[in-house]
Every structure is written in C-alpha cells, then in structure tokens.
Amino acid sequence: MSLRSTLDFLLYDWLDAESLNQRERFADHSRETFDAVLDTCERIAREKYAPFNRTVDTQEPHFDGEKVILPKATHDAHKAFVESGMMSAAQDYDIGGMQLPYTLSAAANSFFAMASVSIGSNMLTSGNANLLMVHGTEMQKEVFAKNEFSGRWAGTMCLSEPQAGSSLSDVATRAVPDGDGFQDDPLGPRYRLTGNKMWISSGDHELTENIVHIVLAKIPDENGKLVPGTRGISLFIVPKRMVDTRGELTGQRNDVALAGLNHKLGWRGTTNTLLNFGEGRYPVDGKAGAIGYLVGAPGKGLHCMFHMMNEARIGVGTAATMLGMAGYHASLEYARSRPQGRLVKKPEAAGVAGAAVAKDSAAPQVRIIEHADVRRMLLAQKAYCEGALALELYCARLVDEQKTGDAQAADDARLLLEVLTPIAKSWPSEWCLEANSLAIQVHGGYGYTRDFPVEQYWRDNRLNMIHEGTHGIQAADLLGRKVLMEKGRGLQLLAGRMTDTIARAAKVPALAAHAKALGAALQRIGSATEAAWSTGDPADALANAVPYMQAFGHTVLAWIWLDVAQRALEIDGEKARAVTAGKIGATDYFFHYELPKIGAWLQVVETRDPTCTALPEDAF
C-alpha cells in the first residue's frame, strides 16, 4: 500500500477530514483542494527531495571560514518548498496562508519527511513563527513571523548549552538591558546577550537571507546574579542580521558567531551548530553583545517556548514515523523481489511432529517475503509505522479541534493533546527506529551496506529518541505531570475515548477479543498509575517512568489500531479488500505480539521496583 493511499484512508475514511470544511475557517476548501495540496507535495518530494537523500548524507555541510556550504540540491528543495506555500499553509489568508486544516498540512508534509528528512529546516521555521504569532507583539509578528512564513527568513530554537544539555534550569546565557531607553525599541525591549548555545539545528546556512534565533536566556537580578532554576528564564528574538521596523536588512551583522559544526551520525543534511552569542566578533554599534528583543514578559520564557517545543515534539514524532515508513517500503520492495531459500516441505503423513525439518533442494528459490520470519518483520514494521502515522494525524486533528471546535470540544482537545504529546514524540522515536532495524534485517547483509538506503534511515532516526526532550524526559513528563494535571481529567478523557472504541469494536466478531484485551490493558494502566503514586514520593513513582511510558504508548497504539480496524471493516467494495486485510492483519499483529508486552513493563511500575535506583554507583 503506497503512502498516498494510506494517507487517503486515514484522512478521509478514518478522520473524516472533509467534514472540517463545514467550519467557517475552512469553508473555502473541499476534497479537491485537499487532494491538490497532497498532489503538489507528493510531486515536490518525489522530484526535489527523494533523489538527493543520499547526496545530502554524503556531502555534509562545511564552513569555509565565512559561510556554511550546502549542496545545490538543498537550495533547490528549499526553494520548491517555499514556492509551494506550505510554510504558511495553515495560517490566515491575510498573512499569505491558505487556511488549510493542520490535519492536511501535517499529512502533506509527511511526504517530505519520508523523501529526505534532513533537507531543510522547515519545521523549526514554522514553529518559531507560530510561537511569535501567539506571544509576540504586533511589530514582532509583522517583522519576524511573517518573513519566516514567507520563506524569506528561516528560524531556529536555541535552548541547550554545552554545560546544561536538557537541564534548562542551568541555562547561563545572560541578557542585560541595552542602555537607556532599552524598553522603547519598537521591535521589543532591547537586550545584549552573551553565552553559548549547542545542538542548534539549522543554526547557520545561506538558504535564506536571514535567520531568526529564538533564544532562552536569563536577565540578572539587581546584584548581577542569575536567578537559579527556570523562573528566571526569558525569551528573546536574536536575528543573525540586524533588521529595521519594515523587515529590511540594515546591512549590519548581529553578534552571533558560528563556533563549529557538529558531525552527526545521521540527519547530516541539516547543519547542527554551536553558536556563540556576544563574543564580540561582530560588534553592533561598536559594542560586543548580541542584540535580542524580549518576547513576552521577563521570566516567562519557558512558558512561551513550550508553545514551540510541543509543536516540535509532534514534528519529531512525525519525522520518526516517516523514516520508519521509508524503511518499511524499501524492505517490502526488497522482500518481494529477492529470491533466497526454499520453504519447508509439508509432512508426507500425519503424526510426524517430531520429524526433522526438510526442504526440497531441487525446488526453485522463493522470494523472501514467503518466509514466515520475514513476514513477521514486515508486519511489525507496518504495525509500528502505519499506527504511528495514524497517531500523529489524530493529534493534528486535535489541533484543528482546539482551534475551531466549540468551547467544550476545544478544551477537551487541548487536554488530550497534553496527555498524548509525550507519546506522539517518544513512541514513534522508539518503535519506528525498531522498524528501521528490522528493515536492515530483512535486507540481510546488504542492509548493513551503503548500497541500500535502509542503513541511512536507521542513522537518521536514531536522533529522534534524543532531541526535543529525551525518552526519559518525556516519560517523567507523562507520569509526573500529564496524567496528573487537572486532577487526572486528561487521562479520564483519553480513557473515555478508548472505552467508546472498545464498545463499538466489541460488537464486531473479528475484533471482539481485541476489544476485551484493550479494556484489560486500560484498566491495568489506571491501576499502575495509582500504584506508582501510592507512596506520594515522586522518586518512587518516577524511578520506572520509561517502562510506564512504553506500556502507556502501546496501549494508545492498540486503541488507534482497533479504531482504524473497526472503520476499515465498514468500507465496502473490491478495491477496499486489500486495504481492510492489511489493517486487520496489522491490528491482529499488534494485539497478539505487542500489547502483551505491557505486563512486564507495568510490573516494575506497580511494585515501584527499586533495582535501578538502589544499585550503588561503584557496582555498575
């Protein structure tokens, strides 16, 4: 089944994306306009991205002393993407957007992620601009956000620092008022920033005429001391090149310098940088210090940044999903064309269960897709990747509901997104990476060579468990905050939606056993959550947060697959038979092979197993 046919089923048959056109914001759209967008993105991905995926992997970014050099293919792909209008597809008409549902935008962008995930920096640019549209001043929206949406400028997010990593409370970048009248700058209160930021994707390049850095920094107190913890963190716009209030370049560089390029295992097509702010290499008005414009209120930087971080986390989950999908499609094609080995002969007579396994060496070789274990690996990939894609599109549909639904539906969508975001980021990052590993295995020894693309897919995907909040951070967020927030209402909402699916599926003979299994899993998640927190000690609860998240994620994916399967069985027609068979097969696989794993994971959660925390350091 192609990606397009998979998307069509999920969008139109499962999520009923066409019904969004009944809402005022999307009233100008139809199935035809949706399909035209998908057609355009599929074509650009096929022509400008996919043929150069290996090129950007081998021709890594390099710094010539003045600028970062990227392959021509990257410039061409970025130009085609910008000209398509997809950078601002979900934005208002009056700022050049298409007012597309985010559901359609997310689906359309999946073509690019599958074709070549490391070409361009579009996710960060749109996320950066979206943050400014929510938290920026009118001038900041006009000058910075709109130029990012147009593709004229690019955007980044600058959180991590060499000494802090993911521990944002230890951010040491300083921001001090830039002289008298600093508060009166029309672009926002004006500060001078000094510090270092690490792991900044697309932190320097020549794809656009400017780069808008969104930077976390601390404003010192009256004694010149940085406020400890996250309370003192503020957010700043720091452009690479200085601009005026009309959004035109002034011709002056800001004091932001590229200190070095990080050489990565994967995602080699995207520059990853160490940036120095305010070291004096490019003094502004004769002084060192990078000029930054405050976004929002002082000390509220992390609150503003989470708007971008949550969007980025769903984007990371989608990237992981599509890399897994790329590996699945490659290994499926290989398995269908690669002859190797022969099938086991059927026994001549009954009662020979103990007989040695025999093969007919004179028979012709069979394609490897005919071997049971290869079919297991392919089915696992299908279950992981198509299930993850359904989850990401479901989350995108919640975004549209939050923006355009009635008050109750919008609030429910907000809370469901809070609970599901750690899963949407982390589950595909783990299990679609496993899909890439299985894709290599299907190829055998060839999969471990650079002659086939699956090794690159694995390398590219390995990053996704790390960036935008590691696995452990997401797990602590899920068990330590998300399932508890608003007295557990988000978890209750999710359980309610699962229960609705269980009730419908229980009436379908082919799905009744799965419905029962999901009901038991949901009940076990609830009891494990209570058991984890039964002592009231966060250290006890969070010691096994990752196994909790794995079990929670598997339960969510089991629900997604059950809901998808129930809808697939409702579709009539000859053409739908293969689609339905594939959906039912993947659902059966997930419930028979995957969902039973949650027992082992939840066992350590329920007992608050201390094995990992109790072992003395010198025993490791």
Side-chain angles (χ1 to χ4, degrees), residues 495 498-499 501-503 505-506 511-527 555 558-559 562 591 595 598:
M498 289 187 183
T499 301
T501 298
I502 290 167
L511 302 177
H514 298 334
K516 183 178 180 181
L518 180 57
L522 179 58
Q523 187 175 29
R524 183 100 187 255
I525 289 289
S527 61
T555 303
W559 163 56
L562 187 61
F591 275 85
L595 189 60
I598 74 168

Side-chain angles (χ1 to χ4, degrees), residues 411-483:
D411 192 58
D412 287 353
R414 171 194 63 82
L415 203 47
L416 282 167
L417 273 170
E418 289 280 6
V419 175
L420 286 175
T421 294
I423 302 302
K425 190 274 181 186
S426 288
W427 197 91
S429 299
E430 179 172 5
W431 297 99
C432 293
L433 178 67
E434 174 62 17
N436 288 133
S437 180
L438 291 171
I440 293 173
Q441 193 74 12
V442 168
H443 282 74
Y446 288 113
Y448 200 62
T449 71
R450 296 178 188 172
D451 299 322
F452 289 83
V454 287
E455 61 85 25
Q456 183 185 341
Y457 297 144
W458 187 93
R459 286 189 289 105
D460 285 343
N461 215 350
R462 186 57 187 84
L463 175 62
N464 289 314
M465 287 180 71
I466 300 171
H467 71 165
E468 306 307 336
T470 64
H471 231 45
I473 288 172
Q474 300 299 329
D477 183 44
L478 177 67
L479 181 55
R481 194 165 72 91
K482 295 299 178 64
V483 299

Side-chain angles (χ1 to χ4, degrees), residues 107-129:
N109 281 317
S110 69
F111 289 112
F112 303 112
M114 184 170 171
S116 183
V117 75
S118 70
I119 289 181
S121 55
N122 306 318
M123 178 186 76
L124 290 175
T125 298
S126 62
N128 178 314

Side-chain angles (χ1 to χ4, degrees), residues 328-603:
Y328 168 54
H329 282 211
S331 61
L332 177 60
E333 179 182 359
Y334 184 82
R336 284 173 168 164
S337 61
R338 166 71 171 174
Q340 184 175 320
R342 294 160 183 85
L343 299 180
V344 176
K345 290 198 300 184
K346 292 183 179 180
E348 297 295 334
V352 291
V357 173
K359 297 181 180 180
D360 183 356
S361 58
Q365 289 187 324
V366 299
R367 296 169 305 139
I368 62 173
I369 196 172
E370 298 181 52
H371 295 299
D373 195 53
V374 172
R375 295 170 74 86
R376 174 190 65 82
M377 292 188 285
L378 291 171
L379 197 47
Q381 292 177 68
K382 181 180 178 71
Y384 296 153
C385 301
E386 289 188 15
L389 179 57
L391 171 65
E392 301 300 335
L393 292 178
Y394 181 83
C395 288
R397 185 69 168 77
L398 289 176
V399 171
D400 285 324
E401 199 64 40
Q402 185 178 359
K403 290 181 177 179
T404 64
D406 61 44
Q408 187 60 58
D411 192 58
D412 287 353
R414 171 194 63 82
L415 203 47
L416 282 167
L417 273 170
E418 289 280 6
V419 175
L420 286 175
T421 294
I423 302 302
K425 190 274 181 186
S426 288
W427 197 91
S429 299
E430 179 172 5
W431 297 99
C432 293
L433 178 67
E434 174 62 17
N436 288 133
S437 180
L438 291 171
I440 293 173
Q441 193 74 12
V442 168
H443 282 74
Y446 288 113
Y448 200 62
T449 71
R450 296 178 188 172
D451 299 322
F452 289 83
V454 287
E455 61 85 25
Q456 183 185 341
Y457 297 144
W458 187 93
R459 286 189 289 105
D460 285 343
N461 215 350
R462 186 57 187 84
L463 175 62
N464 289 314
M465 287 180 71
I466 300 171
H467 71 165
E468 306 307 336
T470 64
H471 231 45
I473 288 172
Q474 300 299 329
D477 183 44
L478 177 67
L479 181 55
R481 194 165 72 91
K482 295 299 178 64
V483 299
L484 304 177
M485 65 189 305
E486 298 185 23
K487 298 181 179 179
R489 191 168 73 86
L491 183 56
Q492 292 165 11
L493 275 172
L494 182 59
R497 299 211 174 184
M498 289 187 183
T499 301
D500 288 344
T501 298
I502 290 167
R504 283 185 279 107
K507 300 173 184 176
V508 181
L511 302 177
H514 298 334
K516 183 178 180 181
L518 180 57
L522 179 58
Q523 187 175 29
R524 183 100 187 255
I525 289 289
S527 61
T529 306
E530 292 181 4
W533 284 103
S534 60
T535 67
D537 185 347
D540 289 345
L542 299 181
N544 295 292
V546 167
Y548 176 86
M549 183 173 70
Q550 289 172 312
F552 195 108
H554 260 50
T555 303
V556 167
L557 265 291
W559 163 56
I560 291 287
W561 268 119
L562 187 61
D563 205 67
V564 165
Q566 193 265 328
R567 180 69 187 103
L569 286 170
E570 295 174 347
I571 300 175
D572 298 320
E574 186 70 28
K575 185 179 178 181
R577 288 186 181 178
V579 174
T580 301
K583 299 290 184 282
I584 300 303
T587 303
D588 288 344
Y589 174 87
F590 203 89
F591 275 85
H592 294 161
Y593 287 74
E594 296 293 331
L595 189 60
K597 294 176 180 177
I598 74 168
W601 289 324
L602 291 180
Q603 175 67 25

Side-chain angles (χ1 to χ4, degrees), residues 38-55:
L38 295 174
D39 289 343
T40 298
C41 292
E42 186 175 21
R43 176 184 57 78
I44 295 172
R46 182 177 62 250
E47 295 175 358
K48 299 294 186 180
Y49 282 68
F52 306 104
N53 190 45
R54 181 64 82 181
T55 300

